[in-house]
Each structure stands twice: as structure tokens, then as C-alpha cells.
Amino acid sequence: MPTAVITGITGQDGSYLAELLLSKGYKVVGMVRRTSTINFDRIRHIQNDIELVQGDLLDQSSLVDIVHEYKPEEVYNLAAQSFVPTSWKQPVLTGEFTALGVTRMLEAIRQVNPGIRFYQASSSEMFGKVVEVPQRESTPFYPRSPYGVAKVYGHWITVNYRESYNLYACSGILFNHESPRRGLEFVTHKVTHAAARIRLGRQKELRLGNLDSRRDWGYAGDYVKAMWLMLQQPEPDDYVVATGETHTVRELCEVAFERAGLDWQEHVVIDPKFLRPAEVDLLVGDPGKAGAKLGWEPEVTFKGLIEMMVDADFEALKSGREV
Ligand code: NDP
Ligand code: GDR
């Protein structure tokens, strides 16, 4: 039975990846940081099947201890400060978690067992003000937020440890991926949740920022499969994971409100508070390499994804569960 350590197991991707690895017979060890109130909502249903251990990307010795004690074959580094607007409010902390946290984990692996296979959660935000459309593995980076800058560091330190120490270290450059478990501040879930609440008469308007920005949105359940596949190859490499389609925030509103039987234009209000100091206007990935080398393909369409999220929000709200 192989063992995998997942950092960020309480997050959206961590919960789906844990489910996938359990279904493949792994022993799953999830690293969680100490908090005064426990928030295991996304992993409650599998909590008895996984092992949780305290650790923090800010604390080197906790990472060394985990790698030493659990002797994993694979480490998936999903933990990060992942909300882009917060990265302007807390740029130093974002750098500590999202950038230097990667080095801390790589160092723990290098010191304890350089044979461990390592996955780094890199991001399409690294492409930022894009210099090429669609974006692929060879496209130069031009990040537009402290978060994007931190992810560029995380990407290159992963490549560097691979080249310097011959580690099996992969960087997955994943485009936006969503699900009913997405944090509520991200635009997809903010919109689907508001559409469901408005339909149920619990809210009247939805305040948003830039409706023109375009994203390549996929389903998180599909994307965690690509993470696992990257660590099963003969050689470590970096891959773009995306659908190859792009949609505006406006289209997202159309699909979500239509599913709720509403006209989005009657409810959406532009609020400058949600505009960003520097925007990423257009992202669309070329998943050709992941398709050819990993045999990976997305299964859920954009419309299917947004409708799934609206339906899940409806069910949760109607049954009295706040999302
Ligand atoms: P979430 O924000 O849902 O989850 C982030 C996780 O990181 C949480 O489990 C959080 O724990 C944990 N975490 C944050 N800081 C620390 C820390 N200092 N030490 C230990 N754990 C910490 O993110 P997603 O699941 O959406 O994303 C997973 C990863 O993939 C992130 O690195 C993100 O930047 C990256 N990514 C995400 C994409 C997406 O579209 N979802 C696209 C591309 C990359 P807690 O519950 O305690 O807050
Ligand atoms: P993003 O996701 O910044 O792409 O990062 P987010 O859903 O926050 O924004 C997407 C786009 O929507 C526009 N937008 C709004 N966004 C939010 N959050 N709230 C609003 O009210 C709003 N109105 C318009 C934004 O300006 C932006 O253009 C996500 C995160 O998961 C990162 O961790 C990950 O690396 C990238 O996706 C790929």
C-alpha cells in the first residue's frame, strides 16, 4: 500500500485528491495546520479513512518530521494562500506560504528521502498578462499579482530541485478548476451560490467586479486525476492542465442564473471594490501535452460544471445546510 502526504488536504483540491488516492488503495496522510476551531467540512466524509497530522508550511521542522515519520512514496504540495485579492493585502505572508513553503517541503524531501515523488500545485496565474494564446508549457510567465509571483517562484524552485538534485519533482500548471467544494469567495461559487439564494428569496443582488475577464474553467474532480498521473510517469516533467476553452465572467453569470430560472442582468451590480490593482484578462490553456503524455482529458464541460454547482447550492440551501 503506497503512502501519500497531501498538504492542503482541507482545501477543495485536497479533498478530491484524497478521495482519488483512497480509491486507488493509498494510505493518505493529510497535513493540517493547527487552528482554534476545526474546519474539516470538505473531508468529514473520509475522515475515518485518512490520517491527519499537524504541520505548517511555515515550519520547516514539522515538514521534516512528517516526511520522516510517514515515509511517503508521494508528496502533493497543495497548501497555499490561494485567493488572489488577499495576496495584495498580505503579500509577505503569501510569499512565505505560497513561494518559500515549496522550498521548505522540497528541502524536507531532499534531506529525508530524495526518492520521494513530489507534485507542486502551480497555476495559470503565472501566465498573467499573457504573451501567447493559448498558454502552454513553453509560454513565458508574466504574473500580475503577489500570488502569481509567488507561484512562479514555487514553479522554478521545483524545476531547480529536479535539475540540481535529480528529484522526481513535477509542476502541474493548472488552470482554474471549480466544484461545489470551491471556496465561496472565488467568482464561480460566489455566482452560483448567489443565484440559488436569489431564487430562494434570500438575497436580491450580487455585487461583482470585472465581468469581461476570461478564464479557462474546469472541474476539480477531473484535475486531481492529472496530478496523480504526473507522478506515475517514467520521468518527472511539467504539464499544463486546462480545458482549452475560455469564457467570460458574464457568460458564467448567464449560465448560472439561467439554471436558477433568473435573468442575471436584473441582479448583478458592478462594485469597484471587487476590481483588482492589476488584472489577468484572458486565460486559455493548451492541454495537448497532458493529453498526449498522460492520456488526460477533462470530462465535465463548462456548462455542466456551473449547473452542477448551482444544483448543489440549491440542495444545500434548501436542506438548511449553509454552504
Ligand atoms: P484552497 O484555498 O481551497 O485550499 C488551500 C489549502 O492550503 C487549505 O487546506 C489550507 O488550510 C492550506 N494552507 C494554507 N496555508 C497553509 C499553511 N501555511 N500550512 C499548511 N496548510 C496551509 O485551494 P485549492 O484547493 O483550490 O487549490 C489547491 C492548490 O492549487 C493551491 O496551492 C492553489 O494555489 C493551487 N491552484 C488552484 C487552482 C484552482 O483553480 N483551484 C488553480 C491552480 C493552482 P486551511 O483549511 O487551514 O486554510
Ligand atoms: P482567480 O479566480 O483569480 O482566477 O484565481 P477568481 O475566481 O477569484 O477570479 C476569476 C476572475 O473573476 C473576476 N471577478 C471576480 N472574482 C472574485 N473572486 N470576486 C468577484 O466578485 C469578481 N468579479 C469578477 C476576477 O477579477 C478574475 O478575473 C483562481 C485561484 O484558485 C488561484 O489560486 C488559482 O491559481 C487560479 O484560479 C488559477
Side-chain angles (χ1 to χ4, degrees), residues 8-14 31 33 42 55-58 78-82 97 121-123 147 151 174-178 182:
I9 195 162
T10 55
Q12 171 189 255
D13 290 8
M31 186 183 92
R33 48 184 177 164
R42 296 190 179 100
D56 198 302
L57 282 186
L58 298 182
L78 309 186
Q81 191 302 96
S82 76
F97 287 4
S122 291
S123 165
Y147 169 84
K151 282 289 181 187
L174 272 53
F175 282 61
N176 299 53
H177 45 278
E178 320 292 314
R182 185 62 143 150

Side-chain angles (χ1 to χ4, degrees), residues 7-15 31-35 39-40 42 55-59 63 77-83 93 96-98 119-125 147 151 172-178 181-183 185-186 217-218 220 223 227:
T7 74
I9 195 162
T10 55
Q12 171 189 255
D13 290 8
S15 65
M31 186 183 92
V32 293
R33 48 184 177 164
R34 193 263 160 192
T35 48
N39 183 6
F40 292 166
R42 296 190 179 100
D56 198 302
L57 282 186
L58 298 182
D59 188 277
L63 306 180
N77 185 40
L78 309 186
Q81 191 302 96
S82 76
F83 191 47
L93 190 65
E96 287 286 354
F97 287 4
T98 306
Y119 173 84
Q120 168 56 18
S122 291
S123 165
S124 52
E125 281 295 294
Y147 169 84
K151 282 289 181 187
I173 307 174
L174 272 53
F175 282 61
N176 299 53
H177 45 278
E178 320 292 314
R181 296 184 201 164
R182 185 62 143 150
E185 73 263 65
F186 298 93
W217 278 295
Y223 283 39
M227 297 177 185

Side-chain angles (χ1 to χ4, degrees), residues 97-319:
F97 287 4
T98 306
L100 281 177
V102 188
T103 312
R104 292 191 190 98
M105 186 49 99
L106 284 164
E107 262 306 297
I109 289 173
R110 186 179 78 82
Q111 286 170 26
V112 178
N113 174 10
I116 291 170
R117 295 190 167 204
F118 175 77
Y119 173 84
Q120 168 56 18
S122 291
S123 165
S124 52
E125 281 295 294
M126 302 190 302
F127 296 123
K129 193 171 168 64
V130 298
V131 300
E132 182 178 35
V133 179
Q135 295 85 54
R136 47 179 69 94
E137 291 78 6
S138 55
T139 304
F141 300 137
Y142 189 156
R144 293 275 277 174
S145 62
Y147 169 84
V149 174
K151 282 289 181 187
V152 171
Y153 175 92
H155 170 82
W156 282 117
I157 200 70
T158 301
V159 173
N160 181 258
Y161 269 56
R162 181 168 76 218
E163 294 176 354
S164 302
Y165 303 116
N166 207 21
L167 296 191
Y168 190 110
C170 298
S171 170
I173 307 174
L174 272 53
F175 282 61
N176 299 53
H177 45 278
E178 320 292 314
S179 73
R181 296 184 201 164
R182 185 62 143 150
L184 264 184
E185 73 263 65
F186 298 93
V187 76
T188 49
H189 207 180
K190 185 173 172 182
V191 170
T192 62
H193 186 243
R197 280 178 59 89
I198 292 170
R199 178 70 207 189
L200 293 169
R202 298 187 195 175
Q203 179 175 332
K204 283 203 163 47
E205 64 174 29
L206 166 62
R207 304 184 83 81
L208 292 175
N210 181 7
L211 299 188
D212 295 320
S213 75
R214 304 172 76 90
R215 289 290 182 277
D216 180 331
W217 278 295
Y219 172 52
D222 287 342
Y223 283 39
V224 296
K225 293 180 190 157
M227 297 177 185
W228 177 76
L229 284 167
M230 280 179 221
L231 296 201
Q232 314 311 314
Q233 303 308 308
E235 298 296 331
D237 206 345
D238 309 320
Y239 298 87
V240 158
V241 178
T243 69
E245 267 185 39
T246 190
H247 299 274
T248 59
V249 173
R250 189 174 287 102
E251 285 172 75
L252 157 67
C253 293
E254 275 166 24
V255 175
F257 277 74
E258 193 178 312
R259 184 67 166 186
L262 299 165
D263 178 353
W264 72 276
Q265 299 192 69
E266 292 173 10
H267 302 281
V268 171
V269 176
I270 303 301
D271 186 338
K273 188 169 87 185
F274 295 109
L275 298 175
R276 298 178 178 186
E279 178 63 285
V280 171
D281 298 314
L282 163 72
L283 289 176
V284 56
D286 173 359
K289 180 175 167 183
K293 296 212 165 169
L294 305 177
W296 179 85
E297 270 183 24
E299 285 172 23
V300 178
T301 63
F302 170 69
K303 190 162 180 279
L305 169 67
I306 301 307
E307 291 183 350
M308 174 206 301
M309 292 174 71
V310 173
D311 293 352
D313 285 332
F314 256 127
E315 284 312 310
L317 288 165
K318 277 196 294 192
S319 64

